[in-house]
């Protein structure tokens, strides 16, 4: 069974805080990994891809540990606008675009 | 910035009726998808479409569902005889050719309510 598991949260943090989200996936044959962001009742939007070497985009850092089948997202200096649900997403190597989504971790950044 | 557009934004229908959800993918994209999200649940893959045919479909995408690209711009999802459990947000997505082809761009969705 192909599963992506996330802590549902919510994570309630003050502005400026650093927050980390974790995700595990069940199938070791997984090939591609992503973090998407979803605002309430909106479409998912790609935040960043996740590479084995780790990658950073401004305040966001993503890490992949293939041995542990574990993905993380770190957000530094949280902004109010970061409030959203963060979706861990995996492509198990099926057809193009057959993505498996986690249920998401809700983040609420407070002033 | 180019975007995937979906119409209508809301669709209310009676159980057993046929519905067609419409999507206009980003113009230079070659891969097209439908996903759905039942309220409070995960986003779920329905179907992928490439080169005018279905590449893959999930267990959800049974005989009641079909997709079509009737012209060079539209991509539609048809549900032949809707059930109450088809109520969900349906997202169309597309992705570009080349090395970034796994990065999906989603439309804003059609909220389908089956009564």
């Amino acid at each position: 069974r192909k599963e992506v598991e996330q802590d549902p949260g919510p994570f309630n943090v003050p502005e400026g805080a650093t927050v980390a989200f974790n995700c595990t996936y069940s199938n070791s044959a997984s090939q591609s990994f992503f973090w998407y962001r979803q605002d309430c009742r909106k479409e998912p939007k790609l935040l960043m891809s996740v590479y084995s070497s780790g990658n950073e985009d401004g305040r966001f850092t993503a890490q992949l540990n293939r041995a542990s089948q574990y993905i993380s997202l770190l957000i530094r200096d949280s902004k109010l606008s970061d409030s959203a649900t963060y979706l861990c997403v995996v492509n198990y190597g099926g057809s193009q675009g057959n993505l498996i989504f986690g249920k998401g971790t809700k983040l609420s950044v407070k002033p | 910035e180019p975007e995937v557009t979906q119409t209508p934004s809301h669709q209310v229908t009676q159980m057993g009726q046929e519905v067609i959800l419409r999507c206009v993918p980003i113009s230079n994209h070659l891969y097209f998808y439908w996903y759905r999200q039942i309220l409070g649940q995960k986003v779920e893959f329905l179907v992928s479409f490439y080169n005018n045919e279905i590449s893959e479909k999930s267990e959800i995408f049974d005989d009641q569902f079909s997709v079509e690209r009737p012209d060079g711009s539209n991509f539609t999802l048809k549900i032949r005889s809707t059930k109450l459990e088809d109520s969900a947000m349906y997202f169309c997505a597309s992705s570009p050719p080349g090395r970034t082809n796994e990065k999906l761009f989603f439309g804003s969705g059609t909220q389908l309510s089956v009564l």
Side-chain angles (χ1 to χ4, degrees), chain A residues 25-77:
Chain A
Y25 59 95
S26 61
N27 191 316
S28 60
S30 304
Q31 295 188 353
S32 307
F33 310 89
F34 309 92
W35 284 101
Y36 278 73
R37 168 195 169 127
Q38 186 174 31
D39 293 286
C40 188
R41 297 187 179 277
K42 301 285 189 181
E43 73 273 22
K45 290 186 178 177
L46 179 66
L47 183 64
M48 58 199 304
S49 302
V50 188
Y51 305 115
S52 297
S53 54
N55 47 302
E56 186 173 311
D57 182 2
R59 298 182 293 109
F60 299 84
T61 301
Q63 296 277 353
L64 167 63
N65 184 323
R66 283 188 183 270
S68 303
Q69 296 177 199
Y70 172 93
I71 306 162
S72 66
L73 176 68
L74 185 77
I75 305 176
R76 290 180 298 279
D77 188 23

Side-chain angles (χ1 to χ4, degrees), chain A residues 32 38 43 91 95-98, chain B residues 35 37 40 48 56 101-102 107:
Chain A
S32 307
Q38 186 174 31
E43 73 273 22
N91 183 327
S95 76
Q96 179 59 40
N98 183 347
Chain B
Y35 281 76
Q37 187 174 29
S48 59
E56 188 170 351
N101 61 11
E102 288 187 308

